[in-house]
Amino acid sequence: MFCFQCEQTAGCTGCTRNAGVCGKKSGTARLQDKLTGALVGLARAVEGNEDQVTKETDALVMEGLFTTITNVNFNDETISALTSRIHAEKDRLVPRCLDCASACGRNDDYDIDSLWDGDEDIRSLKSLILFGIRGVAAYAYHAAVLGYTDEEVNRFFYKALFAIGMDWDTDELLPIVLEVGEINLKCMALLDQANTETFGMPTPTEVPLTVEKGPFIVISGHDMHDLKLLIEQTEGKGINIYTHGEMLPAHAYPELKKFAHLKGNFGTAWQNQQKEFASIPAPVLFTTNCLMPPKPSYADRVFTTEVVSYPGCIHIGENKDFTPVIERALQLGGYKEDQAFTGINGGTKVTTGFSHGAVLSVADKVVDAVKSGKIKHFFLVGGCDGARPGRNYYTEFVKKTPPDTIVLTLACGKYRFNDLDLGTIDGLPRIMDMGQCNDAYSAIQVALALADAFECEVNELPLSMVLSWYEQKAVCILLTLLHLGIKNILLGPTLPAFISPNVLNLLIEKYNIGPITTPDEDMRKLLG
């Protein structure tokens, strides 16, 4: 196998043995490569047949891209079945290819090995495109299940996949890399619209970490639609619901928080699940990544839905009947007494819900605090968490932020510090959790609003971005920030293995992007 799409890839170069660091086996990795090659083949078939593309075609591409994100699908059977569906759709678009042996490209899947073995700069740019659109597809998928789609976003998937299969040079590929960022901004705006129009505008909400006695279900991932369905199906059954990981921001949405049995949050970031799930007397439902291979001690309590799949785990299909999960919760019974858990810093509660709507509703107060000197600097510290040593950097960095600064955060990286109490500035909490990784859109909207208020460019604001990355959604968000021209981003804990030296130098020269060093050194540099 060869895979280097995530931050924890072996030796910071690539997973090449019988299994990836994520737990994905080499055979599964090969099947995912074949699936990706089939998607490129489908994009080739779409070229010149755009009028034959249907909503089902678009949905299939989103599902295919989403399936290959790290820690989503470990199931050879479902990956192979999805590849067959993609082939069938390609044959529908270009049926004459069934009887044609010419090498026009329309009847061939793309050989991913030719990408991994090719010129390192071309490989780097194509990897940025491929991994970026995998992230975009996840956001588009979540919006689509709520009934929101964007034709421009959908059409770009075909354009990007087609480019990956072409023998193009750096000058032809680089604009598409930046276009991934542009399209992702549209997609995050679409998902923000889908979530807020469906579930209401998030408001700051305090979330307890205590699990009450009695039956309960832990739900992980990002999909608010699945959470809403689970809440509705468990209402009146004496079962409490607890979020996990990236599902924490659900507590801030009015149409979700109104349910009394949505009680709190269990556990911390995704990489701790094998320890945290080992002995809980409750089932866990995964709606998206990040799923780690379940330990035998709790594998019979793991359920999956949507594109998530793991061999041996019960999968809830399109009918969204969560009866098996509910029955398992009732059977296990939960804790006999309330269990008081804490965050990694000992806190007993966390707060979420500082979306762009919430922050901009007090924009005048924020601007006044900046003008009066009460707020000297903003730090956006967030992104994906992970298991690699060195991520404690983010905890220490936040602890070292001066008392006249605000920390904006999002995604699961916040679990390194979101239970800290750093106090307030004029009633504004110094740590503001803006939501999931896709809520980088909220952070962008706040930054643009502040720039407008101070009549300056975003890069001239007293704002520093210190980001952590793990998987492909972080890639598309980074490309969005670069598309907007945002400079001086610090990235860690390591730089992506798929970025070649020449491409890295380009990013440094144009955007001054760089790696994190130490909390003290970076703090001095950023505060200057």
Side-chain angles (χ1 to χ4, degrees):
M1 67 177 291
F2 179 78
C3 184
F4 63 171
Q5 70 173 353
C6 80
E7 189 273 334
Q8 69 180 13
T9 193
C12 294
T13 57
C15 294
T16 59
R17 298 184 181 276
N18 293 327
V21 176
C22 67
K24 179 173 57 182
K25 295 179 180 178
S26 59
T28 306
R30 295 294 300 171
L31 289 174
Q32 290 190 343
D33 281 349
K34 289 181 179 179
L35 188 154
T36 302
L39 286 171
V40 174
L42 178 58
R44 289 169 168 171
V46 166
E47 184 78 4
N49 292 287
E50 289 82 2
D51 60 334
Q52 298 299 312
V53 172
T54 65
K55 292 180 180 179
E56 288 71 25
T57 317
D58 294 339
L60 190 59
V61 171
M62 281 188 280
E63 182 179 353
L65 289 169
F66 196 174
T67 293
T68 53
I69 286 180
T70 305
N71 294 94
V72 169
N73 193 316
F74 297 80
N75 194 327
D76 293 357
E77 183 178 338
T78 57
I79 295 170
S80 296
L82 179 54
T83 303
S84 296
R85 289 167 54 203
I86 293 169
H87 283 151
E89 182 64 8
K90 183 183 72 172
D91 292 341
R92 183 188 70 82
L93 290 170
V94 281
R96 287 173 296 177
C97 286
L98 294 171
D99 303 312
C100 177
S102 67
C104 67
R106 288 267 186 93
N107 55 351
D108 291 330
D109 288 350
Y110 178 63
D111 181 8
I112 288 292
D113 285 341
S114 65
L115 172 56
W116 307 146
D117 298 334
D119 175 85
E120 66 173 355
D121 293 333
I122 298 299
R123 179 181 67 181
S124 184
L125 293 173
K126 287 188 175 183
S127 294
L128 280 167
I129 295 169
L130 176 59
F131 303 156
I133 61 173
R134 285 175 176 173
V136 180
Y139 298 145
Y141 187 100
H142 294 315
V145 297
L146 294 174
Y148 291 72
T149 59
D150 185 296
E151 188 70 14
E152 185 179 3
V153 172
N154 291 339
R155 288 294 165 266
F156 181 73
F157 290 134
Y158 302 107
K159 177 181 179 178
L161 286 165
F162 187 85
I164 291 167
M166 295 300 291
D167 185 20
W168 289 354
D169 61 22
T170 56
D171 290 338
E172 293 170 297
L173 292 171
L174 187 57
I176 298 179
V177 170
L178 295 178
E179 193 174 356
V180 173
E182 178 184 5
I183 292 297
N184 184 58
L185 181 60
K186 293 179 183 294
C187 193
M188 288 195 299
L190 178 71
L191 181 53
D192 179 79
Q193 178 188 6
N195 283 334
T196 55
E197 291 185 356
T198 303
F199 306 118
M201 186 64 71
T203 57
T205 303
E206 191 175 275
V207 183
L209 303 182
T210 294
V211 176
E212 298 179 11
K213 66 179 180 181
F216 68 99
I217 296 170
V218 175
I219 181 168
S220 188
H222 304 71
D223 201 296
M224 302 293 178
H225 180 61
D226 284 329
L227 173 60
K228 177 73 178 303
L229 295 175
L230 180 66
I231 291 175
E232 290 174 342
Q233 291 181 36
T234 52
E235 192 169 19
K237 289 184 169 62
I239 298 173
N240 291 329
I241 306 298
Y242 292 87
T243 56
H244 170 265
E246 282 276 66
M247 199 65 83
L248 166 64
H251 292 274
Y253 287 93
E255 290 302 309
L256 297 175
K257 66 190 295 184
K258 70 182 184 181
F259 291 93
H261 63 299
L262 177 61
K263 288 289 186 177
N265 192 72
F266 173 81
T268 54
W270 68 272
Q271 75 275 3
N272 300 320
Q273 65 188 259
Q274 290 180 329
K275 177 178 65 176
E276 294 175 343
F277 293 163
S279 59
I280 60 171
V284 182
L285 173 65
F286 279 89
T287 64
T288 60
N289 59 316
C290 290
L291 168 69
M292 296 179 73
K295 297 283 189 181
S297 61
Y298 67 90
D300 65 332
R301 293 183 273 114
V302 172
F303 295 79
T304 62
T305 191
E306 297 294 351
V307 299
V308 191
S309 186
Y310 194 88
C313 292
I314 295 177
H315 187 79
I316 307 300
E318 293 181 2
N319 63 356
K320 294 299 179 181
D321 181 358
F322 293 115
T323 297
V325 190
I326 294 169
E327 291 177 345
R328 193 76 172 108
L330 293 171
Q331 179 188 39
L332 290 166
Y335 292 110
K336 301 299 183 183
E337 301 294 338
D338 292 357
Q339 300 293 309
F341 294 100
T342 66
I344 66 171
N345 300 291
T348 59
K349 60 182 181 299
V350 293
T351 302
T352 190
F354 290 94
S355 67
H356 60 93
V359 176
L360 295 181
S361 69
V362 293
D364 291 345
K365 189 174 184 178
V366 174
V367 171
D368 289 343
V370 174
K371 289 181 176 178
S372 67
K374 293 179 180 179
I375 297 177
K376 294 286 180 60
H377 206 87
F378 296 87
F379 296 98
L380 176 59
V381 186
C384 310
D385 206 352
R388 188 187 295 278
R391 287 184 178 266
N392 286 339
Y393 164 96
Y394 297 94
T395 309
E396 296 307 311
F397 184 91
V398 169
K399 287 181 177 179
K400 292 178 182 293
T401 55
D404 55 3
T405 63
I406 295 287
V407 177
L408 306 174
T409 189
L410 47 81
C412 60
K414 62 176 168 275
Y415 282 103
R416 295 279 172 171
F417 50 81
N418 67 338
D419 63 322
L420 291 171
D421 183 2
L422 297 186
T424 61
I425 301 176
D426 269 6
L428 299 170
R430 286 197 52 230
I431 296 180
M432 297 184 182
D433 174 16
M434 308 191 83
Q436 297 180 342
C437 52
N438 55 279
D439 290 309
Y441 178 76
S442 276
I444 290 169
Q445 295 307 304
V446 168
L448 293 175
L450 288 174
D452 183 62
F454 289 106
E455 298 181 345
C456 67
E457 299 295 325
V458 171
N459 290 314
E460 297 172 324
L461 287 170
L463 168 67
S464 300
M465 297 190 181
V466 185
L467 307 181
S468 56
W469 83 282
Y470 172 71
E471 43 92 330
Q472 296 74 65
K473 283 178 277 187
V475 175
C476 64
I477 290 172
L478 178 62
L479 293 178
T480 293
L481 296 176
L482 300 185
H483 158 71
L484 292 170
I486 294 175
K487 299 181 178 180
N488 306 314
I489 298 170
L490 292 181
L491 184 65
T494 62
L495 295 180
F498 51 83
I499 300 292
S500 68
N502 287 335
V503 173
L504 178 59
N505 287 337
L506 177 65
L507 297 178
I508 292 172
E509 291 173 6
K510 188 169 183 178
Y511 302 102
N512 198 32
I513 191 171
I516 59 172
T517 58
T518 68
D520 286 323
E521 182 179 343
D522 289 342
M523 189 68 68
R524 285 194 297 269
K525 178 170 61 176
L526 295 173
L527 295 178

